[in-house]
Amino acid sequence: MSKKIAFNDLEIQKLFQNFYIIPAYQREYIWQEKEVIQLLEDVHDAFSDNPEAEYFLGSLVVCKSTEGVKLEVIDGQQRLITLSLVLNNIKRQYKKNKTDCSSIEKLLYSATITETGETVHSNIIEIQYEGKEVLYDLYKTDDDETINPKMIEGLPGKTIFDAHRHISSFFENNFSTEDSFPRIKKFLGYLLNKVKVIQIETPEIGNALKIFETINERGISLDQVDLLKNLLFIQIERKQFTKLAKEWDKFKKSVVGQKVSEKPLRFLRYFIMANYDVAKDQKGESVVREDDIYEWFVKNEAKCNYKSNASSFVRKLHENADFYINLLRNRYHSDNNINLENQSKLLGNAFRQHLLILLSANALKKDWFNHLVGQLENVLFFYNITKEPPRDIEKRFASWTSEIINIKSIVNLNDFIQNRLLSELDTRMRSFESNFITMDTSSMQKYKLKYILAKLTDFIENLRVGEQKESSIVQYLKSSIQIEHILPDNPLQELIDVFSKGDKKEYDIYKNKIGNLTLLERPINESIQRDFFDKKKPEYSKSKFCLTRSISNIETVGSDTSINRATELLQSFDVWDKNSIDARSKMLLNISKLIWKVEPFKGNN
């Protein structure tokens, strides 16, 4: 066997005289309408401009398969499958016009007769991943309605079928005149004889994969995830491909196609930073960016050991991906986690930087992990109040991951809490206090304000009954519980005149302050929305929330009871003016310092 790499300049007709295998480890057919139509438009434009001139369509990287006869496609399957669908569509046009299409059929499959007299088709393109039946059924039938609808519900069957539909629409739009069929025949002749592909055939799979990698480096856009997959397959022998492909598929399914939406590239970034020592860049940052993922893996094989044990590395990827997705579902492994749930109500759907820290903590004992999540929530709350930029948070978290990975004891855990998390609060306390007091509905999203009011309300409720445990705040976030503006959000003019002597701007400043907000059940809220304080006050006493009832009156029971200890933190008000709102803002600030504080772990080893 020749050890040289062969470069074959092939017309499409000669290209489809070979037999090809698209192995299971390849990514599936993913071309959308944009890519399919672009290929057709490029060829059609070249055909229309000068049908005598050759047109170069691109390259195909292959190597001899283990079967010897067939060529294994390493790069170019998207183009190859699309071309086969184009040929199949033209074949249908030939049949529709009652013209012999056997020559086209031979470019799609060859037919042999068995000893029993049955005709067996050997497809020119043998796809080894799911979805191939859609392609083969399209070859066999002239009616889309006969395709089993269940086969085109999932990917990549649906993607292949959609590409077929886009191609059909293209021919309808561009070959719709009465003399369209003669023109289609000329187009086919041009496609098969003037359109060319460079087929790069290598003697070994490793050569082909390296060429695939080189093509990407020279400008053809490929996903960093696919490049990592390619890098792993370069390291192993062909006989290991099937096993590694199964491991890779498990990993890919962990981060793609889940009900929880997540970007695979973000996971890969956080996987690297959460599991390995990342050298500082020129800016002194230990951060890996999306564009640098592949290069980092190439340069750090010694840390990852994917060359010596690719399967073990992929299993680690898979385990981390499962843990990561569970975090997004507010689970510690498979268990629902109150701390993660509460944290998510603060952060919303867009913020993900905290996952970097939590991913690095995946080996911690469950109670250690739970405590760390709770303390991290408090730090993140401070960041929200002090308006810390997410980019700065990520850089800071990236610099902490190695310390978390090395937590082996409670002493280690508490050292981290003391030196990292508590220091974050200490250095931001003054800014936190001033920002909390001035916080209003214009400076903080509504869902975060409701989170804050829910935590304040829940803290007082737990303190009132003598409990000091983490509890879910979901019950306070229901639509039946609303944010009440004590000074009405939509006031009567008379109220503005009384409160601020008709100054609407000043009124709006005070109505939006944190001290003017509380949680209230919807039926009570709807009954008092625009009333003066003296009308609202009696209704607040009917709320089930102690923090809201306290606006009207402070309850006391016995002496030195948990109820009294809770209500000692609260204030009631006879009038509702600027001083009252400012006083309640300060009261909520003082309570917040009792809630969002960082504490050491006090459990057992």
Side-chain angles (χ1 to χ4, degrees):
M1 180 186 292
S2 173
K3 293 296 183 180
K4 293 183 178 180
I5 297 174
F7 294 83
N8 302 310
D9 182 6
L10 300 179
E11 296 87 6
I12 299 301
Q13 187 159 213
K14 290 184 179 178
L15 183 75
F16 278 87
Q17 289 172 3
N18 295 316
F19 285 85
Y20 300 95
I21 292 175
I22 299 175
Y25 69 81
Q26 286 272 15
R27 66 176 174 181
E28 299 86 353
Y29 184 79
I30 61 169
W31 268 17
Q32 302 294 318
E33 181 179 9
K34 177 183 176 182
E35 291 84 7
V36 171
I37 298 302
Q38 186 67 61
L39 182 148
L40 280 167
E41 286 181 345
D42 289 346
V43 175
H44 184 262
D45 289 347
F47 164 69
S48 300
D49 291 343
N50 186 357
E52 300 301 320
E54 294 183 339
Y55 181 77
F56 175 62
L57 193 59
S59 61
L60 185 73
V61 183
V62 298
C63 72
K64 279 286 191 327
S65 70
T66 52
E67 299 175 26
V69 177
K70 297 184 178 182
L71 297 172
E72 194 164 316
V73 178
I74 306 303
D75 182 43
Q77 68 140 316
Q78 310 292 327
R79 191 180 300 111
L80 190 64
I81 291 175
T82 303
L83 286 170
S84 79
L85 289 169
V86 172
L87 292 173
N88 188 62
N89 193 282
I90 295 176
K91 181 197 74 174
R92 288 189 175 189
Q93 301 292 333
Y94 269 59
K95 284 190 172 183
K96 184 178 178 181
N97 286 273
K98 299 179 180 180
T99 303
D100 177 50
C101 62
S102 58
S103 296
I104 304 175
E105 289 178 336
K106 288 179 181 178
L107 302 176
L108 300 174
Y109 48 80
S110 65
T112 56
I113 299 176
T114 66
E115 292 179 356
T116 59
E118 295 179 355
T119 300
V120 176
H121 291 106
S122 297
N123 296 297
I124 296 298
I125 303 173
E126 179 189 334
I127 299 176
Q128 295 184 338
Y129 53 72
E130 293 180 3
K132 60 186 177 184
E133 291 82 5
V134 174
L135 181 66
Y136 301 150
D137 279 3
L138 286 170
Y139 290 168
K140 296 173 187 175
T141 182
D142 298 325
D143 184 4
D144 293 349
E145 301 303 320
T146 62
I147 304 291
N148 185 347
K150 289 186 179 180
M151 291 167 54
I152 58 176
E153 289 177 355
L155 301 176
K158 184 178 186 303
T159 317
I160 293 172
F161 187 76
D162 287 346
H164 156 72
R165 284 286 179 87
H166 298 321
I167 293 167
S168 298
S169 297
F170 180 86
F171 275 93
E172 288 174 7
N173 295 332
N174 290 274
F175 298 91
S176 57
T177 61
E178 292 182 0
D179 64 341
S180 61
F181 184 61
R183 194 160 177 270
I184 287 176
K185 291 175 68 177
K186 290 180 180 179
F187 178 77
L188 174 64
Y190 178 80
L191 175 65
L192 293 179
N193 297 286
K194 294 296 184 180
V195 177
K196 292 191 171 185
V197 169
I198 298 296
Q199 181 172 282
I200 307 170
E201 183 178 340
T202 69
E204 296 177 355
I205 185 73
N207 301 127
L209 289 167
K210 287 175 182 176
I211 291 172
F212 169 82
E213 174 184 306
T214 303
I215 289 173
N216 178 77
E217 289 175 350
R218 293 177 183 174
I220 297 176
S221 178
L222 290 171
D223 192 291
Q224 298 270 333
V225 179
D226 292 306
L227 281 174
L228 174 59
K229 178 181 178 181
N230 170 61
L231 179 64
L232 297 178
F233 277 88
I234 288 176
Q235 316 301 324
I236 63 175
E237 296 178 6
R238 185 192 291 271
K239 62 183 179 182
Q240 298 174 289
F241 277 19
T242 301
K243 180 182 178 182
L244 186 62
K246 290 179 180 178
E247 295 285 353
W248 181 267
D249 191 50
K250 290 178 183 178
F251 153 65
K252 197 75 180 283
K253 287 179 179 178
S254 294
V255 290
V256 177
Q258 300 286 345
K259 292 182 179 179
V260 177
S261 177
E262 185 49 277
K263 298 176 181 178
L265 291 186
R266 177 158 49 202
F267 163 73
L268 281 179
R269 290 180 62 237
Y270 287 177
F271 168 78
I272 292 171
M273 292 186 281
N275 286 276
Y276 304 104
D277 181 24
V278 176
K280 293 182 179 180
D281 59 18
Q282 294 178 343
K283 296 180 180 179
E285 300 169 2
S286 301
V287 175
V288 176
R289 294 169 179 81
E290 284 190 3
D291 291 344
D292 301 329
I293 292 172
Y294 179 70
E295 184 180 357
W296 188 92
F297 279 118
V298 170
K299 291 180 177 179
N300 290 277
E301 191 282 326
K303 293 180 180 178
C304 305
N305 295 319
Y306 56 75
K307 187 173 184 179
S308 59
N309 197 335
S311 291
S312 176
F313 172 74
V314 175
R315 280 196 298 273
K316 184 173 183 176
L317 267 178
H318 179 213
E319 290 167 1
N320 274 257
D322 274 350
F323 187 80
Y324 184 87
I325 294 300
N326 272 319
L327 292 176
L328 288 171
R329 291 171 170 161
N330 302 323
R331 296 176 182 172
Y332 173 77
H333 294 294
S334 59
D335 299 330
N336 291 330
N337 188 285
I338 290 174
N339 288 351
L340 288 171
E341 181 181 67
N342 288 346
Q343 189 178 82
S344 70
K345 303 307 178 185
L346 163 67
L347 302 176
N349 296 322
F351 190 90
R352 291 283 197 269
Q353 284 77 3
H354 64 299
L355 298 176
L356 172 55
I357 283 287
L358 298 181
L359 190 58
S360 69
N362 66 43
L364 293 184
K365 294 179 180 178
K366 184 176 181 179
D367 52 349
W368 296 10
F369 180 86
N370 284 340
H371 186 75
L372 179 64
V373 173
Q375 307 317 299
L376 184 61
E377 178 188 345
N378 297 335
V379 172
L380 290 165
F381 175 71
F382 264 61
Y383 287 163
N384 271 265
I385 300 299
T386 58
K387 304 299 181 183
E388 192 81 8
R391 178 178 172 80
D392 291 346
I393 295 173
E394 182 176 277
K395 289 189 290 187
R396 192 171 301 121
F397 285 179
S399 69
W400 294 351
T401 55
S402 60
E403 296 177 41
I404 296 175
I405 293 171
N406 291 315
I407 291 176
K408 307 299 180 186
S409 67
I410 290 179
V411 172
N412 298 151
L413 175 62
N414 285 336
D415 282 346
F416 176 79
I417 290 171
Q418 174 73 34
N419 298 331
R420 296 302 186 190
L421 304 186
L422 184 58
S423 65
E424 289 295 293
L425 267 61
D426 289 344
T427 57
R428 287 167 177 76
M429 184 57 72
R430 184 171 296 180
S431 176
F432 169 79
E433 291 174 345
S434 61
N435 283 21
F436 189 97
I437 290 293
T438 58
M439 178 173 52
D440 59 25
T441 56
S442 65
S443 63
M444 188 68 68
Q445 297 99 316
K446 185 177 179 180
Y447 75 89
K448 290 186 179 182
L449 283 170
K450 197 165 188 182
Y451 158 87
I452 293 169
L453 293 171
K455 290 284 283 191
L456 291 164
T457 301
D458 184 61
F459 176 78
I460 294 298
E461 291 300 313
N462 286 337
L463 191 60
R464 185 175 177 276
V465 297
E467 292 185 350
Q468 293 182 333
K469 64 177 183 178
E470 290 291 342
S471 56
S472 173
I473 60 170
V474 171
Q475 59 180 314
Y476 304 102
L477 303 178
K478 298 176 181 177
S479 59
S480 58
I481 307 300
Q482 299 179 330
I483 295 178
E484 152 73 347
H485 286 72
I486 303 169
L487 194 63
D489 185 34
N490 185 25
L492 299 169
Q493 183 60 44
E494 182 183 359
L495 184 52
I496 299 174
D497 294 339
V498 171
F499 183 84
S500 57
K501 297 180 180 180
D503 187 339
K504 180 67 164 55
K505 185 176 181 180
E506 184 179 46
Y507 181 94
D508 287 342
I509 290 173
Y510 275 88
K511 80 167 186 183
N512 291 326
K513 284 192 172 187
I514 185 67
N516 189 57
L517 308 177
T518 195
L519 294 185
L520 189 62
E521 299 88 330
R522 179 189 289 155
I524 302 176
N525 194 22
E526 290 176 346
S527 70
I528 60 173
Q529 280 187 353
R530 305 181 72 188
D531 286 344
F532 280 75
F533 181 69
D534 60 347
K535 297 282 185 66
K536 287 187 169 189
K537 184 178 177 181
E539 303 305 316
Y540 291 146
S541 64
K542 299 175 184 177
S543 174
K544 62 182 178 181
F545 306 133
C546 180
L547 184 61
T548 301
R549 293 197 305 272
S550 69
I551 298 169
S552 176
N553 64 282
I554 301 294
E555 60 182 332
T556 57
V557 176
S559 60
D560 195 29
T561 63
S562 59
I563 292 176
N564 291 353
R565 285 191 290 275
T567 55
E568 283 174 359
L569 302 174
L570 308 176
Q571 287 178 260
S572 62
F573 301 90
D574 295 323
V575 296
W576 198 248
D577 55 17
K578 301 170 196 174
N579 292 332
S580 300
I581 294 173
D582 288 338
R584 191 165 183 272
S585 294
K586 291 179 181 177
M587 179 197 82
L588 295 179
L589 169 63
N590 292 332
I591 298 173
S592 75
K593 292 179 184 179
L594 300 175
I595 301 172
W596 290 284
K597 60 181 180 179
V598 169
E599 297 179 310
F601 181 73
K602 299 176 182 177
N604 298 318
N605 251 322

